[in-house]
Amino acid sequence: MLDVSTAAAPVADRPRQVARVRLPPLLLVGLAYLAVSLGLQHRVLGAFTTSTIGDVTGDPDLFAWWLTWTPWAVLHGQNPLVTNWMHYPLGVNGMWNTTVPLLGVLLAPVTLTAGPVASYNAGMILGPVVSGVALAWALGPWVRRWPARAVAGALYAFGPFLVAHASAGHLNLVWSVFPPVLLRLVHVLFVRGPRRPYRTGALVGLVLAAQTLLYTQTLALGVLMLVVTAVVLAIRFPARVRPALPGLVRAGAACVGVYAVVCAYPLWLILAGPQRPRSTIRDPLYGVTDLANVVVPTPLTALRLVPHGIADTMRANVGEQGGYLGPAMIVLVAVLVVVVRSTPLRIAATVGLVSLVLSLGPSLVVADHETGFLLPWTVLSPVPLLGEAEPVRLQAVTLMCVAMVVGIWLDRLTSIRRLAGVGAASLATAFALLTLLPAGAYAAREAATPTFFAHAAQHLRPGDVVETVPAVTSVWDGGARPMRWQAQADMGYKIVGGYFIGSDAANDVLIEAPVTPYQRGVDDIAAHRPVSVPVSAAAESLRAAGVTVVVVVPEPDRDTPAVLAWTAAATGVTGTPVDDAWVFRL
């Protein structure tokens, strides 16, 4: 019988059940990564709108400009992929530049409320977080335990590749989400097989389109490695090739069809659009992995077991030296390939090795010495568009494959029966991971804006074309500052200069706007030499470019009175001091 007295007892006398709220593991992983990213970037947190992540590089200013341009263009009825707001009047083809329109849209709320510098910094902090979370998610079919996936994602997010590009302010590359997404697609397309080929192919086409609007070079290299992975899998499982082909062909057709429709205009801009470069952009041996970098860390790595200064002998700048794996990690991966009976682990190691070899470029470079030893990339160099890609960027795929190997291994580590074996394996793995830890906090650069540009709407008219002193250049140390000033002035005027990739009638390739006769005179003054340009030529160059206003910003290392006198002669007007600048309205 029911004990009525017990059933009717007050609820307050019973033990209270406390509901437990369990956050999804992927969300917890993302929050942990965000805490790490904020810690590494703490130097900008107190000056989020007046300093930029990245040291001695003009790229933060470049990205701040494009992050502003995309939402501004959309809101003002302008073409977000082609602009003449810089390099006026010719303009710039955005698809040949690091336009990042996808991030421009995603970060628009930050840009429109807090400004371009804050938007850029937010993107730099969130990029590694999203990239690491993407890998932790992508490893799901192969790694069951979340701690193992979290470690693998952290290795990818805060490993040498993303750390190097964060140091250089490469917003497009710290958002290395595409390689992990391709890894998950490998499972869907090649391992499990597309269950609904046309729908799957259409989704893949949208993924490729999204990456096209983030960074086309990563798209090209990622698709290349997707093909490489398919070949490796076909060699390993030849019996599965024929049954899988019909579904893959259908998925491929849907993918190409959707991509062609969505990206028809961006593709036209790349292949036949205005101001596209008409010859090779850079030396084929510039954007390559220096073999020494695979075992020699840069100052961006915390644990350096080599003498200081060796890293200075390697090819390229520190922002492109993200290929470090280190002897400990290389040995660990090699041992795991031999010892661990895991086909996914060995395939990941194989694809990683191929990506590493391809990243070395067309011929081997060791400690900045060109050996002349030809490598497989030589075959790919003549391929249109792909040959313009920098193979060094394949380091992202190499690191992702290493992270996958580590993740699979950690997932199986607890299956080792002998306690002594677990301890030794754990120590070896921990040491290899420690050798890849980033060194402290990333550097930051001051990004203050002259007061004149902060209040440009009060001093300039709609439609003004401005020549600035200093001019926009591709010089790493602050050369693109006037682009940031224009962005912080809410695109209230056009500029004749610019830092971009393009061309004009006289130059097959441009990395910055050609120096005008007026600016050549300014450069002569800055170099403390007699002005070598006739005043008439300087005046004509300003009129030909449609300049309506010249704005001179005084700087400590420039003879400002001489620049003002030269500008007055070239413009035929007397300058007016406005805030912290001098204005010459033609």
Side-chain angles (χ1 to χ4, degrees), residues 478-502:
R481 284 175 300 156
M483 289 180 62
R484 186 183 73 244
W485 301 343
Q486 183 191 17
Q488 291 178 313
D490 195 29
M491 297 294 174
Y493 58 91
K494 300 176 182 179
I495 56 175
V496 296
Y499 170 32
F500 57 91
I501 294 174

Side-chain angles (χ1 to χ4, degrees), residues 319-339:
E320 298 291 353
Q321 295 171 352
Y324 178 65
L325 297 176
M329 184 58 73
I330 293 172
V331 170
L332 176 65
V333 171
V335 170
L336 294 178
V337 168
V338 174
V339 173

Side-chain angles (χ1 to χ4, degrees), residues 65 68-69 83-87 116 449 453 456 464 466 468 472 480-497:
W65 194 94
T68 303
W69 169 253
T83 177
N84 67 353
W85 252 250
M86 68 167 150
H87 195 209
T449 299
F453 294 101
D464 268 339
V466 176
T468 62
V472 182
R481 284 175 300 156
M483 289 180 62
R484 186 183 73 244
W485 301 343
Q486 183 191 17
Q488 291 178 313
D490 195 29
M491 297 294 174
Y493 58 91
K494 300 176 182 179
I495 56 175
V496 296

Side-chain angles (χ1 to χ4, degrees), residues 206-554:
L206 291 176
V207 168
L208 300 184
Q211 182 57 47
T212 301
L213 298 178
L214 181 56
Y215 187 39
T216 54
Q217 194 172 123
T218 300
L219 172 69
L221 295 176
V223 171
L224 169 66
M225 293 311 302
L226 187 64
V227 173
V228 168
T229 304
V231 171
V232 171
L233 288 170
I235 294 173
R236 177 62 180 82
F237 302 105
R240 299 185 185 181
V241 175
R242 185 181 295 273
L245 277 179
L248 290 175
V249 169
R250 294 188 187 96
C255 171
V256 172
V258 169
Y259 181 78
V261 171
V262 175
C263 288
Y265 180 60
L267 286 175
W268 177 81
L269 288 176
I270 294 172
L271 298 173
Q275 278 72 60
R276 68 189 186 279
R278 299 190 298 271
S279 64
T280 302
I281 297 174
R282 56 183 64 84
D283 184 345
L285 285 179
Y286 171 77
V288 301
T289 297
D290 190 316
L291 184 61
N293 185 213
V294 178
V295 293
V296 176
T298 69
L300 299 175
T301 301
L303 186 60
R304 298 191 294 277
L305 304 178
V306 298
H308 291 279
I310 293 182
D312 297 335
T313 66
M314 297 188 297
R315 175 63 50 100
N317 56 72
V318 70
E320 298 291 353
Q321 295 171 352
Y324 178 65
L325 297 176
M329 184 58 73
I330 293 172
V331 170
L332 176 65
V333 171
V335 170
L336 294 178
V337 168
V338 174
V339 173
V340 179
R341 295 182 179 179
S342 169
T343 299
L345 184 150
R346 291 170 178 172
I347 289 176
T350 301
V351 173
L353 179 60
V354 172
S355 67
L356 174 59
V357 172
L358 290 175
S359 78
L360 297 173
S363 65
L364 188 63
V365 175
V366 183
D368 205 25
H369 173 65
E370 298 178 7
T371 66
F373 183 80
L374 296 181
L375 295 169
W377 188 265
T378 304
V379 179
L380 301 174
S381 294
V383 178
L385 298 181
L386 182 60
E388 290 288 354
E390 297 170 86
V392 68
R393 305 289 167 81
L394 282 168
Q395 293 168 348
V397 178
T398 305
L399 183 60
M400 182 187 72
C401 290
V402 169
M404 182 175 177
V405 169
V406 171
I408 293 173
W409 162 236
L410 291 176
D411 198 36
R412 296 187 172 205
L413 187 58
T414 56
S415 64
I416 298 178
R417 296 179 179 178
R418 292 188 305 159
L419 185 60
V422 173
S426 299
L427 287 174
T429 305
F431 178 73
L433 290 170
L434 285 173
T435 62
L436 299 184
L437 283 179
Y442 298 154
R445 298 278 286 182
E446 179 272 333
T449 299
T451 304
F452 173 86
F453 294 101
H455 303 129
Q458 301 175 16
H459 313 307
L460 299 175
R461 303 167 186 168
D464 268 339
V465 178
V466 176
E467 174 87 77
T468 62
V469 179
V472 182
T473 71
S474 60
V475 174
W476 261 39
D477 194 0
R481 284 175 300 156
M483 289 180 62
R484 186 183 73 244
W485 301 343
Q486 183 191 17
Q488 291 178 313
D490 195 29
M491 297 294 174
Y493 58 91
K494 300 176 182 179
I495 56 175
V496 296
Y499 170 32
F500 57 91
I501 294 174
S503 64
D504 61 15
N507 300 277
D508 289 342
V509 177
L510 289 173
I511 305 298
E512 62 182 39
V515 179
T516 66
Y518 166 74
Q519 290 289 358
R520 191 173 297 117
V522 175
D523 291 343
D524 287 339
I525 293 170
H528 304 289
R529 58 178 179 253
V531 175
S532 59
V533 183
V535 170
S536 59
E540 175 58 28
S541 71
L542 293 174
R543 287 193 297 269
V547 173
T548 60
V549 179
V550 177
V551 178
V552 178
V553 178

Side-chain angles (χ1 to χ4, degrees), residues 143-170:
V143 182
R144 293 184 300 109
R145 294 180 174 85
W146 272 105
R149 291 160 70 174
V151 171
L155 173 57
Y156 181 66
F158 305 108
F161 178 80
L162 266 70
V163 167
H165 289 287
S167 75
H170 293 163

